[in-house]
Amino acid sequence: MYAISLGDDGAELRPLEPWQAEEYLAHLDRGRDYIGRYVGLPDVCTDLPATRAFLQGYADKAAADTGRICGIWLEDVLVGGVMLRTMDVATGVCEAGCWLEPTAAGRGLVTRAARVLIDWAVEQRGMHRVEWHVSSENTASINVAKRLGMSKDGVLRESYPYRGVRHDMEVWSVLAPEWRALRTT
C-alpha cells in the first residue's frame, strides 16, 4: 500500500480499502456525532458488515474509475478522509468530499489531503471540473472550499433532506485551468 505525506506533522493520505473496515468503523465511532452533523457516513456505517460493504462499494468505484476514497492518518491513527464521491471521466466532472473526527480538526488536514486528491483527479484522470457540495451551515467545509481556491457556483435551496431537516446545499467548484494556475502560484 502507498502513503503520501501531508506534511512534517506525521499526517499521511492512504487508500481506504474493505480490509480496513474495523479501523474505519472505530474511527467513525470516535467521531460519530461530530462527523454526522453534516455527513451521512455514520448513518451508513453502523456495524462491521455495513462498513465493509461501504468500503467495498468504493473499491468497486475505483475499479470502474468512477470514484475513490482515501483516509487521513495522523501518527498512524485514522482521523478522517477525502473522497471523490462521483467521477465521470467522459465528461471530466467529479465531486470531492471530506470528513474528519473532532480531535483532528483545525490542523489543515482536509485541505492538504483534498489538494492531493484534486491534483490526482485533474492531472492523472483528466478531470476538468471538481465540485464540492456542502450544507450552507457547514462553515468548516465551506472554508476548505475557499482555501482550495474554489468558486461558489450557487445554492440549491432546501435540496438536501438529512435527518428529517431540509438543508440548503452550496455548490463550489474549481476548473482544471484555475487549479493549475493556483498550483503554480
Side-chain angles (χ1 to χ4, degrees):
M1 172 177 28
Y2 68 86
I4 298 170
S5 174
L6 296 175
D8 44 358
D9 58 357
E12 293 180 330
L13 185 67
R14 304 178 197 163
L16 263 173
E17 299 176 359
W19 62 268
Q20 296 165 303
E22 287 184 41
E23 183 177 15
Y24 182 64
L25 182 59
H27 150 65
L28 286 178
D29 285 343
R30 287 191 302 272
R32 193 164 288 282
D33 291 337
Y34 182 81
I35 295 166
R37 294 176 307 156
Y38 304 108
V39 177
L41 295 175
D43 297 345
V44 173
C45 300
T46 55
D47 58 23
L48 194 55
T51 302
R52 191 171 286 114
F54 174 78
L55 292 175
Q56 184 61 54
Y58 270 91
D60 295 344
K61 283 184 174 191
D65 206 20
T66 59
R68 294 288 188 285
I69 190 168
C70 298
I72 300 169
W73 275 262
L74 185 59
E75 297 174 4
D76 235 15
V77 175
L78 179 62
V79 296
V82 292
M83 62 174 59
L84 294 175
R85 232 182 49 70
T86 61
M87 188 170 84
D88 186 333
V89 175
T91 63
V93 178
C94 63
E95 179 194 338
C98 67
W99 74 95
L100 198 62
E101 64 182 66
T103 59
R107 301 176 189 211
L109 295 170
V110 166
T111 302
R112 289 183 271 159
R115 281 188 182 122
V116 171
L117 192 63
I118 293 170
D119 272 341
W120 177 84
V122 169
E123 300 304 340
Q124 300 301 312
R125 298 309 304 126
M127 293 294 107
H128 176 73
R129 176 182 169 86
V130 179
E131 296 180 350
W132 191 268
H133 298 199
V134 56
S135 168
S136 292
E137 296 175 13
N138 191 345
T139 305
S141 189
I142 290 168
N143 288 338
V144 170
K146 290 176 182 178
R147 284 191 296 275
L148 292 171
M150 293 184 164
S151 298
K152 183 176 174 180
D153 293 335
V155 178
L156 305 173
R157 298 178 310 133
E158 296 186 4
S159 66
Y160 182 60
Y162 182 62
R163 295 183 174 177
V165 177
R166 289 200 158 271
H167 294 262
D168 291 351
M169 187 62 62
E170 295 185 10
V171 178
W172 292 72
S173 69
V174 64
L175 304 179
E178 298 166 340
W179 183 255
R180 289 183 184 112
L182 288 167
R183 301 305 289 149
T184 59
T185 58

